[in-house]
Amino acid sequence: MNDVDRTIAPAEVGHLARAVLDAVGTVVVGKRDALELVLAGILAGGHVLLEDLPGLGKTLTARSFAQALGLDFRRLQFTPDLLPADVTGSFLYDQRNGDFTFRAGPVFTNLLLADEINRTPPKTQSALLEAMQEKQVSVEGVTYKLDEPFHVLATANPIEYEGTYPLPEAQLDRFLLRVSFGYPQHEEEWEVLRRRMSRRREEADIKAVVDAATLRAMQAALEDVVVEDSIGRYIVSLTAATREHPSVLVGASPRGSLALLLLARVRAVFGGRDYVVPEDVKEVAAPALAHRITLRPEMWLRRVDPAFVVGEVLEATPAPASGALPSYAAGGPRH
């Protein structure tokens, strides 16, 4: 993609984000909070793990966001026999040219739906690691850059363990946040049926609200959202507290602090602000940190949930008051 990105202000990001959410909401009924988290992960430049029961709209959500954001979309069904080359691509012999040529895999896209990622062995799961972290793919010693934006929305079924492979902690840490949808309310489920009858077909199409270049500009605009020093230290204190909690074997890494920072900036923009307040951090704490926490084995017997640990950490960590200008931004945010 060689087009030049335009510059937009944080306030415009909020308007465009709401328009994208409204468009996706015409297909995915209810679940506005969960949809906001998914979009926040994309705007923050990260990858999202959708972990929930089957049939709750995870695949539909991924496809709908791809359409609303004007992104190239590919879906990859993970199975036990899937090979790393099926993800990244491979070199094939071209008889006409008498040489090997590279055939790109489905990872070469803007938005990749890694469906049921926990159904494939770790070797294939790890094929995504380089792409997710470095935005590139290495095959047979040759490195290929991925076009930006590049995001992975992965789905996982949390209740079926037969024939599944738990995601390694290193790969879980690559996901900016984890989102669950939950069952719809009675009226929401009826609305799903009503809309299906109204459109008279299974597929639901959404018109693009923005395009890839505009999405990149929205992501760049988030760098102008001010984070006071006190807020930054609050983020670090929250993450560090997960490592010291008595129920935790391994707490969140510094990547968890970065996730809180990036997602809090998006929440600020959603709230019509170009600065972060403590409430922005609190709203994204559980989705950003819970999947990065490894509980002590005995805690599973007591049915302690990582999200519960994050809740206790939030209650125990004093939130700061706003007012101080960050030391690194004496000139204020750029406009």
Side-chain angles (χ1 to χ4, degrees):
M1 299 180 181
N2 298 319
D3 49 326
V4 179
D5 294 344
R6 63 190 183 96
T7 301
I8 62 178
E12 187 178 352
V13 176
H15 293 308
L16 291 173
R18 284 188 288 274
V20 170
L21 289 169
D22 290 342
V24 174
T26 62
V27 174
V28 183
V29 180
K31 310 305 176 189
R32 180 79 174 200
D33 292 343
L35 294 177
E36 285 186 359
L37 286 172
V38 175
L39 181 57
I42 295 173
L43 289 176
H47 313 287
V48 182
L49 177 62
L50 306 175
E51 187 177 83
D52 218 326
L53 303 174
L56 296 183
K58 300 185 294 296
T59 303
L60 177 62
T61 296
R63 183 179 293 108
S64 298
F65 270 116
Q67 292 176 346
L69 294 170
L71 301 179
D72 182 47
F73 173 76
R74 293 191 184 182
R75 175 182 178 273
L76 180 59
Q77 180 66 50
F78 280 73
T79 57
D81 60 349
L82 195 72
L83 299 175
D86 297 326
V87 178
T88 61
S90 59
F91 282 94
L92 299 178
Y93 185 72
D94 189 340
Q95 292 184 344
R96 291 176 298 179
N97 299 329
D99 198 1
F100 287 91
T101 58
F102 179 69
R103 177 173 294 179
V107 75
F108 287 85
T109 186
N110 295 135
L111 186 63
L112 174 67
L113 172 60
D115 212 359
E116 295 186 298
I117 191 174
N118 58 335
R119 288 198 177 278
T120 199
K123 183 176 182 180
T124 304
Q125 292 176 5
S126 64
L128 274 179
L129 283 179
E130 182 183 12
M132 292 172 64
Q133 186 63 27
E134 306 296 336
K135 306 295 178 68
Q136 66 182 29
V137 168
S138 297
V139 180
E140 299 292 338
V142 182
T143 299
Y144 299 90
K145 282 288 187 181
L146 299 175
D147 286 338
E148 293 187 3
F150 171 72
H151 301 280
V152 175
L153 298 188
T155 70
N157 186 342
I159 61 170
E160 291 186 18
Y161 297 104
E162 184 175 350
T164 63
Y165 303 84
L167 293 177
E169 285 75 8
Q171 186 164 352
L172 275 175
D173 207 30
R174 295 301 196 280
F175 288 100
L176 196 66
L177 73 165
R178 179 175 62 185
V179 180
S180 296
F181 285 80
Y183 285 115
Q185 299 294 326
H186 181 87
E187 288 301 320
E188 292 174 347
E189 192 165 356
W190 159 239
E191 182 65 15
V192 172
L193 304 184
R194 190 192 66 79
R195 293 186 186 184
R196 169 61 181 84
M197 292 186 291
S198 176
R199 65 176 178 264
R200 303 178 65 87
R201 57 192 176 91
E202 187 64 32
E203 297 79 13
D205 295 325
I206 298 176
K207 292 184 178 180
V209 178
V210 298
D211 56 16
T214 304
L215 175 59
R216 293 196 298 272
M218 294 168 68
Q219 293 170 336
L222 293 173
E223 297 298 328
D224 289 335
V225 177
V226 175
V227 181
E228 299 171 357
D229 291 354
S230 59
I231 300 293
R233 293 183 181 277
Y234 176 55
I235 288 173
V236 172
S237 296
L238 286 174
T239 307
T242 65
R243 306 164 196 159
E244 301 166 0
H245 194 281
S247 301
V248 173
L249 182 64
V250 180
S253 70
R255 193 177 278 124
S257 296
L258 182 60
L260 281 179
L261 169 68
L262 298 175
L263 291 170
R265 278 176 157 176
V266 180
R267 293 300 310 185
V269 169
F270 284 176
R273 288 174 277 102
D274 61 355
Y275 58 92
V276 173
V277 297
E279 286 68 25
D280 296 324
V281 179
K282 294 177 181 179
E283 288 181 6
V284 299
L289 297 180
H291 67 291
R292 306 176 195 273
I293 294 174
T294 302
L295 297 176
R296 296 184 181 277
E298 61 269 22
M299 291 300 107
W300 292 107
L301 298 177
R302 301 178 187 177
R303 297 189 176 183
V304 175
D305 185 83
F308 176 77
V309 172
V310 176
E312 288 193 334
V313 165
L314 285 171
E315 291 182 3
T317 306
S322 300
L325 186 70
S327 59
Y328 64 85
R334 301 185 308 275
H335 294 287

